[in-house]
Amino acid sequence: MGYFSFLYYYNWSYMLFMLPCIILTIVVQASMKSTFNKYGSIHNSRGLTGYEAASRLLSSCGVTGVRIERVSGSYTDHFDPRTNVIRLSDAVYSSTSIAAVGVACHEAGHAVQHAQGYFPNKVRSVILPVANIGSKLSWFFIIAGLVASAMQPLLYIGIALFSASVLFTVATLPVEFNASSRALKVIRETGMLSSDEYVGAKKTLRAAAMTYVASAATAIMQLLRLLAIAASRNRD
């Protein structure tokens, strides 16, 4: 298959497999930003900051030795298991908004997962090194295998490497949903937020979780697209 045949298969398969994912991602991102903007502008009645909420969740779960730091940027909140540090963005760390409490508790939920040895989290950690290699090298092999017929075996190597990154993306889903579930459970049980505010935090975390669903769907469809192209080449 030559260069122009490669473009033909790229175009039709991209429209078939990837266009729905692009639309889904746009819708999910818009929903997330809208939800965060709404509940990021409503202060919680307890006056809790993101930092205080994360601290309370850790204390409630009996987790110690976790630092909470401020990090610059937007949507940069994360838990680093290598250093056992929760990093909260400027919009979350000192904010008393409903969204800030939800996000901070979600990241604290990841710290609790790490402390308690949550099994899906361990599985994702095992996959991570291979997924990193796959995400960096897969497309080099895939493009080489598609452009030159003599190098077709490289296509299958690339697909195998890409599969590792897809697996990591899928494995991330239960970890993220569980972190949100832990966060909401503690928020409700400790009364960090009122009942109406709790609903806002739940909507915020649900909107954030859907971005991971969209990412997983995109990765899976991309893999199916590559498999379809490989199958078409075998028939030619």
Side-chain angles (χ1 to χ4, degrees):
M1 180 184 294
Y3 176 71
F4 291 105
S5 295
F6 161 64
L7 288 181
Y8 167 75
Y9 281 108
Y10 183 86
N11 289 334
W12 79 256
S13 65
Y14 193 86
M15 293 295 291
L16 177 64
F17 288 98
M18 302 311 299
L19 186 57
C21 293
I22 292 174
I23 295 172
L24 174 63
T25 299
I26 292 173
V27 172
V28 166
Q29 289 287 347
S31 175
M32 183 194 73
K33 290 181 179 179
S34 174
T35 304
F36 269 65
N37 288 338
K38 177 179 179 179
Y39 293 105
S41 62
I42 303 175
H43 297 285
N44 69 81
S45 57
R46 309 290 192 269
L48 286 175
T49 64
Y51 171 84
E52 292 169 337
S55 297
R56 287 196 182 190
L57 187 142
L58 294 174
S59 177
S60 176
C61 295
V63 176
T64 59
V66 179
R67 298 198 315 276
I68 304 173
E69 301 177 350
R70 184 194 296 265
V71 64
S72 61
S74 300
Y75 307 115
T76 51
D77 312 274
H78 65 281
F79 169 67
D80 186 347
R82 297 168 299 179
T83 56
N84 215 25
V85 173
I86 297 171
R87 296 190 175 93
L88 301 178
S89 64
D90 292 329
V92 171
Y93 186 90
S94 58
S95 172
T96 58
S97 72
I98 294 172
V101 171
V103 171
C105 287
H106 172 88
E107 298 307 333
H110 282 306
V112 175
Q113 288 175 336
H114 180 68
Q116 296 180 350
Y118 180 56
F119 182 71
N121 201 36
K122 291 183 176 180
V123 172
R124 190 179 69 157
S125 297
V126 170
I127 300 171
L128 179 59
V130 181
N132 283 337
I133 295 173
S135 63
K136 293 176 181 177
L137 298 179
S138 59
W139 286 103
F140 169 80
F141 288 100
I142 289 169
I143 293 174
L146 286 173
V147 171
S149 298
M151 302 176 71
Q152 185 167 342
L154 295 181
L155 171 61
Y156 300 104
I157 295 176
I159 291 175
L161 289 171
F162 184 75
S163 297
S165 62
V166 174
L167 182 60
F168 177 79
T169 303
V170 174
T172 295
L173 292 178
V175 176
E176 293 298 329
F177 277 100
N178 179 263
S180 290
S181 177
R182 290 171 185 264
L184 292 170
K185 181 175 184 291
V186 174
I187 288 173
R188 184 178 62 249
E189 291 180 348
T190 60
M192 282 193 222
L193 300 176
S194 68
S195 56
D196 289 341
E197 293 166 349
Y198 171 84
V199 172
K202 186 174 183 179
K203 289 181 178 178
T204 298
L205 294 183
R206 182 184 299 163
M210 286 305 298
T211 63
Y212 292 98
V213 173
S215 294
T218 299
I220 292 170
M221 294 304 287
Q222 185 74 282
L223 177 60
L224 293 176
R225 182 178 76 91
L226 291 170
L227 291 172
I229 292 173
S232 296
R233 290 198 62 168
N234 287 333
R235 289 195 296 269
D236 291 346

